[in-house]
């Protein structure tokens, strides 16, 4: 809770006028406990899990052109009932695992130094901390994910997440309860190493889940702004991991591609991508040659 009773008192304590954002934050949070502010994460996660995948559900059902041409596994289609069943399973896990975990994890948030007062962090501070969080989470998630693909880890825990060989947005958080708990560790490590403001923590949790839905979308849209992020894996990278299935020893990284490249766990993916590219070029060249021969025949007839 902010230790100031008025805007004027806060300005005196900071030695300057509050920014517009700080004034909004004061008016909203001044009478609310830090625990209540932290619990906003539960609402944010519920809204993200429920709303962000909806456009993907619409595309899956309607198969609209040209969007449908960007589906990575076009032969695999899920019905509306199948996708709703996935959402129901995710919500059961949300209310019985994710929500309670958020409620009881507040002491650890206070221990590492996440603050909710004034001043607010600058935009550059928020951005730099988010970059650290994503890098730390990606590296630690890589090794935990790789461990879950040994026989015991896969058979006992991770196979649940791989029930969707062609992933959909709703399936991003679809997993065994133990996997949800285990993979919560990488998400916590970044804020523990570089603790910031509660707003930064909100953004981190929200963006990480939106990113997970994006990589499980099943669509590789060329206009996706994430394609401008260096080393970002995206849906194409992670979709291959699901496509290969339980025996997959490829594409373990959650966000970026550098770990898979450094440790050689993307060789199968890169080989398949090269084969598909060669086939595409052969088809394009063959079509061009056929078109040229038809034009020559037509020209000969006209003479």
């Amino acid at each position: 809770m902010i230790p100031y009773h008025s805007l004027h008192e806060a300005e005196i304590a900071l030695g300057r006028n509050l920014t517009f954002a700080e004034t909004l934050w004061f008016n909203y949070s001044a009478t609310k406990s830090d625990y209540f502010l932290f619990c906003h994460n539960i609402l944010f996660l519920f809204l993200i899990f429920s709303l962000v995948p909806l456009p993907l559900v619409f595309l899956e059902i309607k198969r609209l052109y040209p969007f449908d041409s960007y589906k990575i596994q076009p032969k695999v289609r899920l019905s509306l009932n199948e996708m709703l069943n996935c959402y129901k399973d995710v919500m059961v896990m949300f209310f019985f695992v994710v929500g309670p975990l958020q409620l009881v994890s507040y002491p650890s948030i206070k221990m590492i130094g996440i603050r909710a007062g004034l001043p607010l962090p600058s935009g550059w501070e928020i951005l730099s901390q988010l970059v650290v969080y994503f890098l730390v989470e990606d590296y630690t998630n890589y090794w935990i994910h790789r461990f879950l693909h040994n026989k015991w880890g896969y058979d006992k825990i991770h196979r649940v997440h791989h029930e969707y060989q062609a992933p959909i947005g709703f399936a991003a958080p679809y997993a065994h309860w133990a996997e949800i708990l285990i993979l919560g560790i990488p998400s916590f490590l970044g804020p523990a190493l570089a603790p910031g403001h509660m707003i930064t923590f909100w953004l981190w949790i929200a963006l990480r889940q939106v990113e997970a839905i994006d990589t499980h979308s099943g669509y590789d849209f060329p206009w996706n702004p994430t394609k401008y992020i260096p080393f970002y894996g995206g849906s194409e990278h992670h979709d291959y991991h699901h496509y290969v299935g339980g025996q997959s020893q490829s594409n373990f990284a959650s966000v970026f591609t550098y770990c898979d490249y450094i440790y050689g766990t993307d060789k199968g993916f890169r080989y398949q991508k090269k084969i598909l590219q060669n086939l595409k070029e052969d088809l394009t060249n063959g079509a061009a040659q056929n078109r040229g021969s038809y034009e020559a025949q037509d020209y000969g007839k006209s003479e």
Side-chain angles (χ1 to χ4, degrees):
M1 184 178 293
I2 293 178
Y4 312 123
H5 296 93
S6 67
L7 288 171
H8 181 66
E9 186 178 341
E11 289 174 342
I12 292 175
L14 295 178
R16 60 172 174 79
N17 293 330
L18 298 184
T19 65
F20 177 71
E22 288 172 333
T23 301
L24 289 178
W25 179 249
F26 180 91
N27 290 333
Y28 179 74
S29 66
T31 59
K32 297 176 176 65
S33 69
D34 290 355
Y35 179 67
F36 180 80
L37 294 172
F38 169 73
C39 288
H40 282 46
N41 271 324
I42 299 175
L43 175 62
F44 297 152
L45 288 173
F46 173 76
L47 292 175
I48 289 169
F49 289 160
S50 301
L51 300 179
V52 174
L54 288 181
L56 300 169
V57 172
F58 180 77
L59 293 179
E60 185 77 8
I61 296 171
K62 294 298 184 181
R63 306 184 184 185
L64 298 177
Y65 180 84
F67 305 104
D68 200 53
S69 62
Y70 299 114
K71 185 170 174 59
I72 301 170
Q73 297 187 49
K75 293 183 178 180
V76 181
R77 297 287 180 176
L78 296 181
S79 67
L80 178 60
N81 283 335
E82 288 174 316
M83 289 185 282
L84 290 178
N85 285 334
C86 177
Y87 174 71
K88 285 191 292 184
D89 291 338
V90 167
M91 284 296 105
V92 169
M93 202 62 64
F94 176 81
F95 285 111
F96 287 97
V97 178
V98 177
L101 180 63
Q102 290 287 317
L103 291 173
V104 301
S105 61
Y106 175 71
S108 62
I109 296 299
K110 291 298 291 183
M111 180 183 68
I112 65 175
I114 300 295
R115 62 184 183 86
L118 294 174
L120 292 184
S122 66
W124 282 112
E125 181 181 345
I126 292 174
L127 180 61
S128 61
Q129 287 177 328
L130 288 175
V131 169
V132 171
Y133 298 171
F134 270 107
L135 290 174
V136 170
E137 194 276 345
D138 184 68
Y139 187 81
T140 51
N141 185 290
Y142 171 87
W143 288 106
I144 293 175
H145 189 187
R146 193 167 173 176
F147 166 77
L148 290 174
H149 270 267
N150 66 36
K151 181 172 175 53
W152 183 89
Y154 188 86
D155 290 344
K156 300 296 184 181
I157 300 175
H158 194 51
R159 62 173 178 79
V160 175
H161 184 66
H162 274 270
E163 288 176 11
Y164 290 90
Q165 188 174 10
I168 57 173
F170 278 141
Y174 179 83
H176 191 282
W177 64 266
E179 181 170 347
I180 294 174
L181 295 178
I182 294 170
L183 293 182
I185 297 172
S187 297
F188 178 78
L189 281 179
L193 292 173
H197 198 272
M198 187 70 73
I199 291 177
T200 308
F201 189 74
W202 286 351
L203 284 171
W204 159 236
I205 296 299
L207 288 174
R208 179 62 184 90
Q209 298 310 315
V210 170
E211 183 276 331
I213 292 170
D214 174 57
T215 56
H216 288 83
S217 67
Y219 290 85
D220 185 28
F221 298 120
W223 56 80
N224 192 326
T226 58
K227 289 189 176 294
Y228 296 98
I229 300 176
F231 307 109
Y232 183 78
S235 56
E236 182 187 28
H237 186 82
H238 193 67
D239 200 282
Y240 177 81
H241 177 80
H242 278 262
Y243 172 74
V244 178
Q247 303 303 315
S248 176
Q249 293 299 318
S250 184
N251 294 20
F252 293 113
S254 60
V255 183
F256 304 107
T257 60
Y258 68 93
C259 279
D260 283 304
Y261 181 80
I262 292 172
Y263 299 113
T265 49
D266 66 345
K267 293 179 180 179
F269 171 67
R270 285 190 282 132
Y271 178 76
Q272 187 207 45
K273 197 171 182 180
K274 182 179 179 180
I275 294 296
L276 292 176
Q277 183 63 33
N278 290 339
L279 287 173
K280 185 177 180 180
E281 291 175 357
D282 290 343
L283 288 173
T284 302
N285 294 335
Q289 290 175 1
N290 290 334
R291 189 163 54 248
S293 64
Y294 287 137
E295 290 174 354
Q297 290 176 14
D298 291 340
Y299 178 75
K301 290 178 180 178
S302 65
E303 290 183 334

